[in-house]
């Protein structure tokens, strides 16, 4: 099975290669370095790099860096790191800004051929005339005047936004994108990669096809929002192929696929920036966010993200993907690799009245349905912590945890039964219980069998932990429901608990993912956790209803 699931794009690639349209498949992942990548970008990354691997081709990481006002070196470096973390190695790392000289030469060719002109209209007036299908009063400038003005624009003689270079196509075209689109604008701002060399910068619709053509891209893959832009893509290539040093053929073609849209979150850079800059989250790697850096810090593995893309498929049908599917994929990825250990999120102390001293029991890391070997010594003592929610003074019908007159087994250890409840100010402060003799590792031979099994840790040995429980960032599937998306933020997207975990975790590599039995999948936070002050992130909860 290939990295990319069989879809309409793989069929196109197979046909093109079979018929000899291209000698080799060449794709590119072309992010704009104006923010951090999110899980929506993972579909494009897996598609472009995966196709190259599946068909023995090449895939470049190419920064579409044509806007000096929003782009940063910080974002560019983070993008490459995220791509490599996902498991892909670019054949080349390229910059659109390295082609600015070539793009400028091509713009001069279009002007000389009467296919581009300089427009002085204010942006609002230009937008109005385009909407009405009317030409600009500057459309009929002579070639000589347009050449002079554009060269003066490039020399920095005019202020930002005062003039643009437009393609001379058709002001009444039914495809709005072809109504004399803007090719260049003036921006007096330094570029993070190109420096101060330029004050005219190409627009995406002009730059992107040229970048692909220069690099020898065969299949230019983008999301459906650029479907109407394909007409400009083709116009630029058809009018410049064989000119300004560009080949006559083969030329690239654009194909569109549906973007990845996920419930209970936002996949818009603009909205993500509002969350970060507004202080609603701590930073771009806050595990509540859908950025790849945030998912990485939360503990999600790249294998899970690649599998999520594979399961959701590649098509032209736009659909909202439920967060439950991502959670299911993450659980499926972690289940066979996460050793089982014991931890308590909301501790309630239990004192065993008939047990003195301590002992260490051998506890397996893996359940019976996972054929792996491995165990660790688990300390047992006269004082334990159990989960507060595992006890009830007035249990409902069917209760399978600790309660008056009801025995439970401590996972890997003894059966206990309640003797007394110590309360303070109306709240349960402490439980007193007794060990049922002869029940270590087996059901009691006599008397009632335990109703259920609960987890625990030794109060004498357990390590204190700050547990961070990450939930969905928004309360609604569609955060825009009801207006401003910030109004639907989930106030419980992060819950912090002070609990304990068994001491064996300190002997493991810091990046070990665990299943805390009956609680979920966790790992140590890679930024804040230290051996003397453990912090553990919940990567994903267990499947609903899994806990006994």
């Amino acid at each position: 099975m290939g990295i990319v699931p069989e879809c309409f794009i793989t069929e196109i690639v197979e046909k093109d290669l079979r018929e000899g349209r291209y000698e080799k498949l060449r794709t590119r992942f072309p992010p704009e370095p104006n923010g951090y990548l999110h899980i929506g970008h993972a579909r494009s990354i897996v598609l472009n790099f995966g196709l190259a691997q599946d068909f023995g081709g090449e895939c470049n990481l190419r920064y579409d860096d044509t806007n000096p006002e929003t782009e940063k070196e910080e974002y560019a470096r983070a993008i490459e790191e995220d791509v490599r973390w996902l498991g892909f190695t670019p054949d080349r790392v390229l910059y659109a800004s390295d082609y600015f000289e070539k793009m400028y030469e091509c713009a001069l060719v279009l002007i000389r051929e009467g296919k581009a002109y300089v427009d002085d209209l204010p942006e609002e007036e230009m937008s109005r005339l385009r909407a009405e299908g009317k030409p600009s009063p500057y459309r009929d400038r002579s070639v000589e005047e347009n050449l002079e003005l554009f060269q003066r624009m490039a020399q920095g003689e005019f202020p930002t936004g005062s003039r643009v270079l437009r393609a001379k196509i058709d002001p009444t075209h039914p495809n709005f994108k072809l109504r004399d689109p803007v090719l260049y604008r003036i921006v007096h701002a330094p570029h993070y990669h190109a420096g101060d060399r330029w004050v005219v910068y190409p627009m995406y619709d002009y730059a992107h096809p040229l970048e692909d053509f220069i690099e020898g891209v065969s299949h230019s893959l983008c999301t459906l929002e650029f479907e109407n832009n394909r007409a400009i893509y083709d116009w630029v290539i058809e009018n410049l192929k064989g000119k300004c040093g560009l080949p006559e053929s083969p030329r690239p073609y654009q194909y569109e696929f549906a973007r990845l849209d996920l419930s209970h979150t936002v996949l818009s850079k603009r909205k993500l920036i509002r969350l970060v800059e507004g202080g609603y989250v701590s930073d771009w790697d806050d595990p509540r966010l859908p950025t790849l850096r945030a998912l990485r810090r939360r503990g999600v593995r790249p294998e899970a993200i690649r599998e999520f893309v594979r399961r959701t498929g590649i098509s032209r049908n736009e659909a909202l993907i439920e967060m439950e599917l991502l959670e299911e994929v993450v659980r499926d990825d972690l289940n066979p690799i996460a050793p089982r250990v014991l931890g308590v999120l909301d501790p309630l102390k239990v004192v065993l009245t008939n047990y003195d001293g301590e002992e260490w029991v051998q506890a397996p890391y893996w359940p019976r349905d996972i054929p792996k070997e491995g165990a660790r010594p688990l300390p047992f003592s006269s004082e334990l912590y159990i989960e507060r929610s595992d006890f009830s003074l007035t249990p409902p019908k069917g209760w399978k945890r600790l309660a008056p007159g009801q025995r439970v087994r401590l996972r890997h250890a003894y059966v206990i039964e309640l003797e007394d409840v110590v309360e303070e100010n109306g709240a349960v402060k402490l439980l007193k219980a007794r060990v049922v003799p002869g029940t270590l590792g087996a059901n009691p031979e006599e008397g009632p069998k335990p109703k259920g099994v609960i987890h625990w840790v030794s109060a004498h040995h357990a390590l204190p932990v700050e547990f961070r429980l990450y939930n969905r960032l928004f309360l609604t599937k569609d955060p825009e429901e009801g207006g401003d998306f910030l109004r639907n933020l989930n106030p419980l997207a992060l819950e912090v608990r002070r609990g304990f975990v068994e001491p064996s975790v300190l002997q493991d590599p810091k990046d070990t993912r665990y299943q805390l039995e009956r609680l979920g999948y966790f790992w140590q936070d890679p930024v804040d956790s230290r051996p003397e002050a453990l912090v553990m992130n919940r990567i994903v909860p267990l499947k609903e209803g899994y806990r006994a």
Side-chain angles (χ1 to χ4, degrees):
M1 181 178 66
I3 296 172
V4 178
E6 186 173 340
C7 61
F8 76 99
I9 292 178
T10 59
E11 293 172 357
I12 290 170
V13 170
E14 287 175 347
K15 182 175 182 293
D16 287 347
L17 294 177
R18 184 175 63 249
E19 295 178 354
R21 191 173 189 179
Y22 303 100
E23 292 183 3
K24 191 174 190 177
L25 172 71
R26 288 185 174 87
T27 59
R28 80 290 172 269
F29 173 58
E32 182 181 358
N34 63 351
Y36 288 82
L37 299 181
H38 54 65
I39 194 168
H41 294 107
R43 176 174 284 178
S44 180
I45 295 171
V46 172
L47 177 59
N48 281 286
F49 285 96
L51 281 172
Q53 291 188 26
D54 289 346
F55 289 92
E58 296 177 358
C59 182
N60 298 328
L61 168 60
R62 182 231 295 147
Y63 298 112
D64 254 339
D65 55 349
T66 59
N67 187 350
E69 296 179 300
T70 61
E71 296 159 353
K72 298 179 182 179
E73 181 72 23
E74 167 195 350
Y75 297 142
R77 298 284 68 78
I79 287 169
E80 182 176 352
E81 183 179 318
D82 287 345
V83 167
R84 293 183 185 276
W85 173 73
L86 268 183
F88 299 104
T89 301
D91 286 280
R92 292 180 292 171
V93 178
L94 305 171
Y95 297 80
S97 53
D98 285 339
Y99 311 142
F100 282 172
E101 190 72 48
K102 174 64 68 177
M103 293 176 186
Y104 179 75
E105 292 174 13
C106 290
L108 294 177
V109 168
L110 292 176
I111 294 172
R112 291 189 185 103
E113 294 183 352
K115 297 175 180 177
Y117 63 97
V118 174
D119 196 344
D120 299 0
L121 284 177
E123 184 177 353
E124 298 80 6
E125 180 68 7
M126 186 190 307
S127 298
R128 183 184 67 81
L129 291 178
R130 290 188 75 200
E132 295 173 357
K134 295 179 180 178
S136 165
Y138 302 99
R139 195 172 192 269
D140 293 327
R141 274 176 163 156
S142 68
V143 167
E144 292 74 21
E145 185 179 5
N146 284 318
L147 277 174
E148 179 192 1
L149 287 172
F150 186 58
Q151 288 168 339
R152 291 172 64 192
M153 286 168 58
Q155 292 164 5
E157 293 188 23
F158 307 116
T160 293
S162 59
R163 284 183 165 91
V164 296
L165 181 71
R166 296 177 67 180
K168 195 172 186 179
I169 303 177
D170 182 355
T172 65
H173 200 284
N175 182 347
F176 185 83
K177 298 284 186 180
L178 289 178
R179 293 184 179 182
D180 288 10
V182 175
L183 304 181
Y184 269 90
R185 80 280 198 204
I186 302 171
V187 182
H188 286 270
H191 190 280
Y192 80 98
H193 182 70
D196 297 322
R197 165 71 177 83
W198 297 94
V199 294
V200 289
Y201 289 93
M203 302 296 290
Y204 170 87
D205 282 332
Y206 173 71
H208 195 79
L210 288 179
E211 296 159 26
D212 287 346
F213 208 2
I214 292 167
E215 294 172 13
V217 167
S218 58
H219 298 75
S220 183
L221 310 175
C222 58
T223 51
L224 281 172
E225 61 199 279
F226 295 100
E227 184 173 20
N228 288 337
N229 302 61
R230 191 192 328 140
I232 309 176
Y233 186 98
D234 291 338
W235 184 90
V236 170
I237 289 177
E238 289 300 321
N239 282 278
L240 288 172
K241 65 182 183 180
K243 304 169 186 176
C244 53
L246 295 175
E248 186 72 32
S249 65
R251 53 149 292 185
Y253 286 86
Q254 176 177 305
Y255 302 93
E256 304 87 21
F257 60 94
R259 67 180 185 178
L260 194 157
D261 200 5
L262 190 62
S263 73
H264 295 91
T265 193
V266 290
L267 299 180
S268 156
K269 286 183 182 177
R270 178 178 56 83
K271 294 185 178 71
L272 291 172
I273 288 172
R274 283 187 66 187
L275 290 170
V276 173
E277 294 184 350
Y280 299 98
V281 294
S282 61
D283 208 339
W284 287 96
D285 67 347
D286 188 307
R288 289 170 286 186
L289 290 175
T291 60
L292 294 182
R293 299 180 86 75
L295 291 167
R296 180 180 184 178
R297 181 173 178 181
R298 184 165 177 163
V300 175
R301 301 202 310 159
E303 293 88 342
I305 295 177
R306 296 197 301 266
E307 174 62 14
F308 178 63
V309 172
R310 191 194 68 79
R311 287 199 203 178
T312 55
I314 308 293
S315 75
R316 287 179 56 84
N317 299 319
E318 293 189 333
L320 182 67
I321 298 168
E322 296 288 346
M323 182 66 74
E324 285 89 343
L325 178 57
L326 176 59
E327 293 170 349
E328 177 184 324
V329 171
V330 173
R331 279 192 293 267
D332 288 348
D333 174 67
L334 294 174
N335 182 53
I337 63 98
R340 275 56 168 171
V341 298
L342 299 181
V344 172
L345 303 183
D346 187 10
L348 174 61
K349 181 172 277 192
V350 178
V351 175
L352 301 175
T353 59
N354 65 336
Y355 186 93
D356 292 321
E358 64 181 48
E359 62 186 300
W360 294 72
V361 298
Q362 284 297 110
Y365 278 123
W366 306 100
R368 294 177 182 175
D369 60 345
I370 296 181
K372 287 186 177 182
E373 296 182 357
R376 78 284 188 192
L378 188 63
F380 187 86
S381 62
S382 59
E383 293 186 349
L384 312 171
Y385 290 119
I386 67 168
E387 207 70 56
R388 186 170 292 274
S389 59
D390 279 340
F391 170 73
S392 176
L393 267 175
T394 55
K397 186 177 180 181
W399 181 258
K400 294 183 179 181
R401 288 166 263 172
L402 190 60
Q406 187 160 296
R407 295 177 173 183
V408 294
R409 174 174 294 284
L410 300 174
R411 178 73 165 148
H412 305 303
Y414 294 93
V415 173
I416 64 170
E417 58 185 6
L418 188 69
E419 283 190 334
D420 192 17
V421 178
V422 179
E423 296 184 82
E424 186 177 278
N425 299 323
V428 176
K429 180 182 180 182
L430 177 73
L431 301 179
K432 295 182 179 181
R434 64 182 295 274
V435 168
V436 178
T439 58
L440 179 62
N443 287 324
E445 296 179 0
E446 297 179 357
K449 293 183 178 181
K451 285 287 187 179
V453 180
I454 64 173
H455 58 276
W456 56 279
V457 292
S458 165
H460 297 167
H461 304 82
L463 306 171
V465 179
E466 176 185 305
F467 289 106
R468 297 174 181 175
L469 309 184
Y470 293 102
N471 303 302
R472 292 168 186 180
L473 185 56
F474 291 91
L475 296 169
T476 54
K477 285 185 180 181
D478 178 7
E480 299 284 0
E481 184 178 302
D484 186 4
F485 73 104
L486 293 176
R487 297 173 60 184
N488 286 322
L489 276 169
N490 180 6
L492 298 180
L494 169 60
E495 300 178 75
V496 177
R497 305 282 181 84
R498 306 288 175 176
F500 299 91
V501 71
E502 65 174 79
S504 68
V505 301
L506 282 185
Q507 71 187 19
D508 300 324
K510 188 177 178 180
D511 63 353
T512 302
R513 276 83 167 171
Y514 302 97
Q515 185 191 112
L516 296 194
E517 297 201 41
R518 305 173 70 238
L519 297 175
Y521 292 93
F522 290 78
W523 85 328
Q524 290 189 53
D525 184 273
V527 176
D528 295 335
S529 187
R530 305 184 306 279
E532 68 278 10
L534 293 178
V535 177
M536 298 190 79
N537 298 336
R538 185 173 69 183
I539 306 168
V540 68
L542 295 178
K543 190 173 182 179
E544 193 70 28
Y546 177 83
R547 175 172 166 167

